Amino acid sequence: MKTKYWLIKSEPEVFSIEDLSKSKNKTTYWDGVRNYQARNYMRDEMKIGDKVIFYHSNTEPPAAVGICEVIKEAYPDFTAFEPNDPHFDPKSKKNSPTWFMVDIKLIYKFERFISLSEMKKNKKLQKMKLLQRGNRLSVIPITKVEFEEIVKLGR
DNA sequence: GCCAACGTTGGC
DNA sequence: GCCAACGTTGGC
């Protein structure tokens, strides 16, 4: 199975890479994806061993902050079933869930965060969907070249 | 099936 | 805090 590469967004106020670093086994379930396209990527294409850039959105500055690995493939996002959860979705049923999550484990946090503006200036990263206008997806496929370029900058 | 209204995302 | 760009909802 060929390794795929992804970029996932999180608002650090909600869940930051420091939070992940402090989590048990540096592992978390990636809950709360409520967009069909992002869900399809997670549910249908994310496989164990895939590599993931962790990105901080809606903060100053927005930046790539570390790398993770997929350690569990898609299973139902149980937060959609819990009425008190901010991600509750009454349309998602336990016997036919709408929403899915994967588990990711931190590989390491970057020594140097790579800001969005730095990525915009980088020739090798120009085609990333992250940089395209109006992009709002929280799970974005990237290429191996893009992944390795960001890792090189952030190491 | 169209599309206006509304809600959310996320850079700035 | 603003607002452009989207996605979703629901009346018709």
Side-chain angles (χ1 to χ4, degrees):
Chain A
M1 182 61 72
K2 192 158 168 276
T3 304
K4 292 197 182 73
Y5 300 87
W6 307 93
L7 182 146
I8 59 175
K9 297 179 185 174
S10 184
E11 301 192 21
E13 297 294 312
V14 178
F15 189 84
S16 71
I17 194 151
E18 288 80 13
D19 294 328
L20 177 57
S21 159
K22 285 182 228 153
S23 300
K24 191 182 173 195
N25 297 328
K26 298 183 189 292
T27 296
T28 192
Y29 50 84
W30 202 251
D31 67 317
V33 172
R34 295 291 179 271
N35 169 285
Y36 288 101
Q37 198 178 344
R39 179 208 66 184
N40 291 347
Y41 283 139
M42 260 197 334
R43 186 190 58 186
D44 305 336
E45 296 193 42
M46 264 195 186
K47 299 298 173 193
I48 287 176
D50 282 5
K51 299 292 191 294
V52 180
I53 300 281
F54 196 112
Y55 176 86
H56 280 170
S57 66
N58 216 350
T59 188
E60 185 52 45
V65 296
I67 58 176
C68 304
E69 183 173 355
V70 177
I71 62 163
K72 182 174 179 181
E73 292 173 13
Y75 59 105
D77 182 342
F78 55 82
T79 65
F81 306 138
E82 295 174 2
N84 295 325
D85 192 282
H87 298 301
F88 176 59
D89 180 358
K91 293 193 299 301
S92 185
K93 304 298 181 195
K94 285 189 180 171
N95 58 5
S96 74
T98 308
W99 306 115
F100 291 81
M101 52 172 46
V102 298
D103 286 359
I104 59 164
K105 177 170 186 164
L106 181 67
I107 300 177
Y108 61 85
K109 185 173 119 178
F110 288 154
E111 287 178 24
R112 192 174 75 82
F113 289 2
I114 308 307
S115 70
L116 180 62
S117 64
E118 183 171 354
M119 288 191 268
K120 282 180 177 168
K121 288 179 199 146
N122 187 303
K123 283 205 169 64
K124 291 182 183 168
L125 302 177
Q126 288 306 302
K127 290 186 178 165
M128 288 205 301
K129 288 194 180 71
L130 176 71
L131 306 185
Q132 288 168 13
R133 213 164 99 99
N135 150 70
R136 287 168 48 189
L137 270 187
S138 60
V139 177
I140 303 174
I142 60 176
T143 67
K144 184 178 186 187
V145 170
E146 289 160 353
F147 178 84
E148 287 174 350
E149 179 68 10
I150 294 170
V151 168
K152 191 178 83 181
L153 295 169
R155 99 172 55 247

